[in-house]
Amino acid sequence: MNALIWLLISAALGIALFWIGNRKTFDQVNTAAQELRSRASKLNPQSVDGFIESLMLAEEDKYGARVVLLEISELLEVQPEKLAYSYELSELLVYHPDLRECGAACGIDPFSYMLAERIMGKSRKDLWNERWASQPGLPRNERELTEFISHMNIEEFIRFFSPLIKKGEGSRSIFHRRS
């Protein structure tokens, strides 16, 4: 009987510690997301049209460029104009609470997996298959894809993903600013 009581106490304690530990992680991720969104909201707006023109994309890829930029801006909850510059994605998507204490290893990344998922949802599988055939070293799963994009800036990200975007996806206000 005593063994059963100790087992129940241990299980209850384990469950409580599990929830407390996860709550702390949840709070840290939410704090990181809020800080990154706050930081992005303070960026100086630039012309989306001018930025996309400066990328010198093929005409058929400009639509995809707008979709990609809009996805990043929605994730960070800022206007696309705030991101119309070649910022490093790692600076926009990864929060480093105190580099003095733990260096770059303590970064909290609340957005990279969401961004990868959103962009893949807007991409055409047949175009990915073509790209994989011509470049077999490209990422083939979500973890590899997030690592791949973490080393890009916004310009590189747009150049890479805009040709893969489904035409007609995400037709929102950013597409109707100027004709």
Side-chain angles (χ1 to χ4, degrees):
M1 186 67 162
N2 285 338
L4 180 60
I5 292 172
W6 280 111
L7 181 64
L8 290 174
I9 291 172
S10 297
L13 184 60
I15 291 171
L17 290 175
F18 174 79
W19 287 112
I20 290 169
N22 281 340
R23 179 66 186 169
K24 182 179 177 187
T25 300
F26 180 77
D27 289 344
Q28 289 174 333
V29 171
N30 278 341
T31 298
Q34 290 171 355
E35 289 293 327
L36 290 167
R37 286 177 172 138
S38 174
R39 188 184 314 161
S41 72
K42 295 173 185 167
L43 296 172
N44 292 324
Q46 309 287 327
S47 165
V48 170
D49 292 332
F51 178 63
I52 290 176
E53 286 302 317
S54 75
L55 299 177
M56 299 177 62
L57 298 169
E59 198 60 41
E60 62 270 12
D61 295 339
K62 290 180 181 176
Y63 175 84
R66 291 179 182 283
V67 170
V68 170
L69 188 61
L70 186 62
E71 288 299 325
I72 300 169
S73 72
E74 285 182 350
L75 201 58
L76 293 172
E77 297 178 357
V78 297
Q79 294 76 30
E81 290 82 3
K82 297 277 188 172
L83 302 175
Y85 187 77
S86 288
Y87 299 111
E88 295 295 322
L89 285 174
S90 60
E91 293 176 17
L92 294 171
L93 304 176
V94 180
Y95 177 69
H96 298 280
D98 190 355
L99 294 175
R100 293 169 294 178
E101 288 183 19
C102 58
C106 69
I108 300 170
D109 184 351
F111 296 125
S112 293
Y113 280 92
M114 284 189 275
L115 180 60
E117 182 181 317
R118 291 173 83 149
I119 293 298
M120 291 306 291
K122 301 248 184 240
S123 300
R124 289 182 39 195
K125 185 160 176 55
D126 61 321
L127 295 177
W128 265 105
N129 289 336
E130 288 175 20
R131 199 165 274 182
W132 279 325
S134 66
Q135 299 173 8
L138 288 177
R140 293 184 178 263
N141 63 49
E142 190 176 47
R143 184 188 52 76
E144 291 173 356
L145 183 62
T146 57
E147 177 68 23
F148 179 69
I149 66 176
S150 71
H151 300 291
M152 295 180 164
N153 62 36
I154 289 180
E155 180 179 332
E156 293 164 335
F157 188 76
I158 289 173
R159 286 181 188 276
F160 184 84
F161 285 100
S162 64
L164 302 172
I165 299 298
K166 300 172 191 172
K167 304 303 181 238
E169 284 289 321
S171 179
R172 295 175 232 163
S173 62
I174 186 175
F175 304 101
H176 304 294
R177 294 245 161 94
R178 292 172 68 183
S179 26

